[in-house]
Amino acid sequence: MSKKQTKYIFVTGGVTSSLGKGIVSASLGLLLKQRGFNVTIQKLDPYINIDPGTLNPYEHGECYVTEDGAETDLDLGHYERFLNSPTSQNNNVTTGKIYQTVIEKERKGDFLGKTVQVIPHITNEIKRRIKILGNKNYDIIITEIGGTVGDIESLPYIESVRQLKWELGEHNSMVIHLTLLPFLAASGELKTKPSQHSVRQLMESGIQADVLVCRTEHKIPKEQRAKLAQFCNVSLDNVIECMDLDTIYEVPIYLQKQNFDDVVLKVLDLKNEKEADLKNWKEFLKKYRHPKKSVEIALIGKYVSLQDSYKSISESFIHAGAAQEIEVKVRWVYSGELTSENVEEQLKGVDGMLIAPGFGDRGIEGKILAAKYARENKIPMLGICLGMQIMTIEFARNVLNLTKANSVEFDTGTEEPVIALMEEQKNVVEKGGTMRLGAWKCTLKSGSKLQEIYGTRNISERHRHRYEFNGDYKTEFEKNGFIASGINPDTELVETLELKDHPFYVGVQYHPEYKSTVANPHPLFLAFIKAVSGK
């Protein structure tokens, strides 16, 4: 039996960056999946970093981690949350990875004395990466190209798409181009000229867009739509409007109303009579829009001025909140400004607290004060990754009277290293990709709060950290009621801590937020929101 032809959809952006290519790609993926197609989405990032693991969250938002341990772009989080299926390291490609591979091959002599050039060597490697997923039996692969058409760094990707379209043949690939229709208040109209220029720039690279998705603040009048179709060489039905909506989760329904999925299937010559079933999605939206009560959670972190730094956490609140018909309001608290004088005032009235992940010693003492406040005032609290380590340091200092307790990350010479490095990590110098990454097993104690939450003893969760709970202190902690309730069965490292005699005081070394989706809100977030709401 011959292998079926995988179809490729390329999503490009023009006029400005940050138009929402990721959300449009994820929404299209959801519509096609609900029609019965096996779909995945990949992201091509034009920056030269190997991955976003070493990038400041202010630069690029959160770094998202896949099951197989790849540090990737936050758009992969959207893909997983919408499609409810995991991505892998092959779903995120950067220019850094492309050049690294080509240079390594050149050093090994793989090119047999040839001059190594952008065309064909870099473009061949890009095409190879795009097609890797094609071997996995997907019907459709959506490839989002980061950046904006016309950027120097995006050119090799655009050229690779041009070559692939030609190689794959008619109806086996298509290009969706996202543009912005700015509204000029002075003349009171939407302007199509930037979109025309953007499409023309794409055509100069040898690519004709098949579908135009227009980001806009206002509905597109008929004559503007006709103008876009005529001057951008697309049929009228293929001009899709994408207005600003209250939530990203409305986008699939908004696009479905314009037959976006039908338009795409027609271009790809795929026959499918089934309509995308969004019944559960609409149910989720209904609950999200009409909550029965509301709670406020303080998210204590270092990067709160760019909320994309904690994207997966805030989305997990939405999933778990909507499932229980609870609106979750987030109070963003910058830990660097918390002091013993103002901690009560800053955290007054919150129903729950979450201490966020992070790296480095800035704002640490503020987080420790917040943990103490939650512990002493019996406020439900969840600590994630660094958050668990903060809870560890606070407990050691204020309950065990180890006043010098600290993490080796913040004080290499600390007398009480309650958070330390694993032996094999001690000589690691490089920063990128050298942490405990991806899915690791965890065995939960029988009768523990976490075992009750998960409904099982054996779980697997994604990690992204370097420092660990120091096992030498475990007995002392447990004697005083802070229980190591989850242990990695292979390394015996402590994965979770939970406090007795407290409504909800749980620290986890892993990142539960990476696995929360619209269809399956994460059990830990469900339990946390339940505790916060006083249920």
Side-chain angles (χ1 to χ4, degrees):
M1 191 179 123
S2 66
K3 186 181 172 296
K4 62 178 180 223
Q5 172 73 52
T6 302
K7 308 271 187 173
Y8 290 85
I9 300 170
F10 300 103
V11 181
T12 58
V15 187
T16 74
S17 57
S18 305
L19 284 181
K21 293 190 295 287
I23 302 299
V24 168
S25 302
S27 299
L28 175 60
L30 172 71
L31 292 173
L32 295 171
K33 184 181 179 182
Q34 294 307 101
R35 290 184 74 149
F37 292 101
N38 189 7
V39 184
T40 192
I41 314 175
Q42 67 180 169
K43 172 90 188 269
L44 307 182
D45 267 312
Y47 52 74
I48 297 175
N49 302 62
I50 301 292
D51 57 45
T54 55
L55 285 175
N56 183 329
Y58 287 133
E59 290 265 336
H60 215 71
E62 83 172 357
C63 172
Y64 186 81
V65 179
T66 59
E67 283 285 294
D68 60 0
E71 293 177 285
T72 68
D73 185 80
L74 64 75
D75 273 334
L76 271 76
H78 291 309
Y79 306 161
E80 291 200 10
R81 287 188 280 274
F82 277 61
L83 291 182
N84 194 35
S85 56
T87 53
S88 72
Q89 60 185 359
N90 292 327
N91 291 68
N92 194 197
V93 178
T94 66
T95 296
K97 277 184 193 154
I98 300 291
Y99 273 85
Q100 188 183 42
T101 306
V102 171
I103 289 165
E104 279 170 2
K105 282 184 177 173
E106 184 273 336
R107 291 289 82 187
K108 282 191 210 145
D110 287 9
F111 299 119
L112 299 170
K114 289 261 192 319
T115 305
V116 180
Q117 294 176 290
V118 173
I119 300 171
H121 302 100
I122 297 297
T123 50
N124 281 351
E125 179 58 23
I126 291 170
K127 289 189 294 185
R128 186 185 74 80
R129 296 278 184 145
I130 290 171
K131 288 164 89 172
I132 282 176
L133 289 167
N135 304 328
K136 300 274 196 312
N137 223 18
Y138 289 110
D139 302 314
I140 300 168
I141 294 170
I142 301 169
T143 303
E144 177 197 344
I145 296 170
T148 310
V149 167
D151 292 350
I152 286 176
E153 52 260 45
S154 298
L155 282 174
Y157 292 106
I158 300 295
E159 168 58 19
S160 303
V161 169
R162 185 198 66 74
Q163 291 180 23
L164 265 176
K165 273 192 73 121
W166 182 78
E167 288 166 21
L168 291 164
E170 222 178 344
H171 300 303
N172 288 326
S173 71
M174 65 179 291
V175 172
I176 296 170
H177 190 54
L178 232 79
T179 73
L180 177 71
L181 294 189
F183 180 76
L184 288 192
S187 59
E189 59 181 347
L190 289 169
K191 304 305 278 181
T192 62
K193 191 64 76 182
S195 298
Q196 292 177 46
H197 282 310
S198 180
V199 169
R200 184 170 299 161
Q201 192 141 32
L202 201 54
M203 289 174 79
E204 281 172 12
S205 304
I207 294 173
Q208 165 65 54
D210 299 287
V211 176
L212 217 53
V213 176
C214 303
R215 282 300 307 274
T216 165
E217 293 172 28
H218 302 268
K219 290 202 91 56
I220 306 172
K222 263 190 189 151
E223 59 274 19
Q224 303 284 59
R225 200 180 272 255
K227 196 172 170 185
L228 281 163
Q230 184 183 1
F231 291 114
C232 297
N233 281 1
V234 297
S235 68
L236 199 57
D237 289 344
N238 292 22
V239 178
I240 305 287
E241 172 188 283
C242 196
M243 276 182 69
D244 297 350
L245 301 166
D246 293 338
T247 164
I248 55 170
Y249 297 112
E250 285 179 37
V251 177
I253 292 160
Y254 193 81
L255 293 174
Q256 187 188 36
K257 281 178 185 157
Q258 298 175 73
N259 303 315
F260 185 37
D261 42 338
D262 287 325
V263 164
V264 165
L265 293 176
K266 191 176 168 190
V267 175
L268 293 174
D269 196 26
L270 283 169
K271 305 279 182 283
N272 180 293
E273 299 307 318
K274 185 183 170 192
E275 193 176 313
D277 176 13
L278 296 181
K279 187 165 133 285
N280 293 347
W281 194 270
K282 286 174 182 168
E283 186 59 32
F284 153 75
L285 263 176
K286 188 176 149 197
K287 287 181 174 177
Y288 171 69
R289 285 202 196 104
H290 305 288
K292 293 196 171 145
K293 69 181 289 189
S294 108
V295 296
E296 188 181 24
I297 293 174
L299 189 148
I300 295 126
K302 298 199 314 190
Y303 310 112
V304 292
S305 58
L306 181 74
Q307 292 165 10
D308 267 6
S309 307
Y310 305 110
K311 193 68 184 164
S312 293
I313 293 174
S314 50
E315 297 306 310
S316 300
F317 283 155
I318 289 172
H319 308 153
Q324 299 174 78
E325 295 176 271
I326 295 169
E327 177 192 14
V328 180
K329 292 176 178 167
V330 178
R331 185 188 297 183
W332 301 90
V333 179
Y334 171 49
S335 61
E337 285 171 1
L338 284 180
T339 63
S340 47
E341 288 75 43
N342 71 9
V343 66
E344 192 165 342
E345 177 201 337
Q346 292 270 343
L347 299 173
K348 205 173 173 175
V350 296
D351 303 297
M353 288 160 60
L354 185 143
I355 296 186
F359 294 91
D361 57 5
R362 180 167 60 88
I364 291 303
E365 293 303 321
K367 287 186 175 181
I368 291 169
L369 286 168
K372 181 173 190 267
Y373 185 79
R375 181 177 58 78
E376 292 180 345
N377 292 287
K378 301 274 194 271
I379 298 169
M381 176 148 108
L382 177 58
I384 293 177
C385 196
L386 175 68
M388 180 187 110
Q389 299 181 359
I390 293 293
M391 292 159 89
T392 303
I393 297 166
E394 189 280 323
F395 194 82
R397 286 184 190 176
N398 299 319
V399 179
L400 307 182
N401 294 317
L402 304 172
T403 51
K404 300 276 173 60
N406 215 332
S407 164
V408 174
E409 181 180 4
F410 317 131
D411 176 6
T412 47
T414 176
E415 291 169 35
E416 304 286 0
V418 288
I419 303 293
L421 278 171
M422 291 188 289
E423 278 306 314
E424 56 267 37
Q425 284 279 22
K426 286 184 178 164
N427 300 317
V428 173
V429 185
E430 287 196 3
K431 287 268 190 287
T434 55
M435 292 178 272
R436 190 144 78 94
L437 287 164
W440 287 66
K441 288 182 196 144
C442 171
T443 304
L444 300 170
K445 255 188 188 159
S446 280
S448 63
K449 188 185 282 270
L450 279 159
Q451 191 243 328
E452 187 192 324
I453 287 168
Y454 280 93
T456 177
R457 285 198 60 205
N458 296 309
I459 61 168
S460 163
E461 292 281 4
R462 299 182 201 178
H463 291 65
R464 182 180 181 241
H465 70 280
R466 188 171 279 114
Y467 298 85
E468 305 283 352
F469 179 91
N470 186 341
D472 295 348
Y473 293 88
K474 186 165 153 246
T475 311
E476 192 68 11
F477 266 71
E478 296 202 314
K479 221 165 39 186
N480 287 276
F482 210 7
I483 311 299
S485 57
I487 304 288
N488 177 281
D490 305 319
T491 59
E492 299 203 344
L493 291 167
V494 172
E495 295 278 11
T496 70
L497 290 167
E498 55 185 69
L499 190 60
K500 283 180 168 179
D501 309 323
H502 192 288
F504 191 101
Y505 195 81
V506 174
V508 294
Q509 188 56 77
Y510 48 78
H511 289 262
E513 71 273 21
Y514 292 148
K515 285 178 81 165
S516 184
T517 69
V518 173
N520 288 308
H522 195 285
L524 189 49
F525 277 91
L526 285 168
F528 178 49
I529 301 295
K530 192 174 172 183
V532 168
S533 70
K535 281 189 180 175

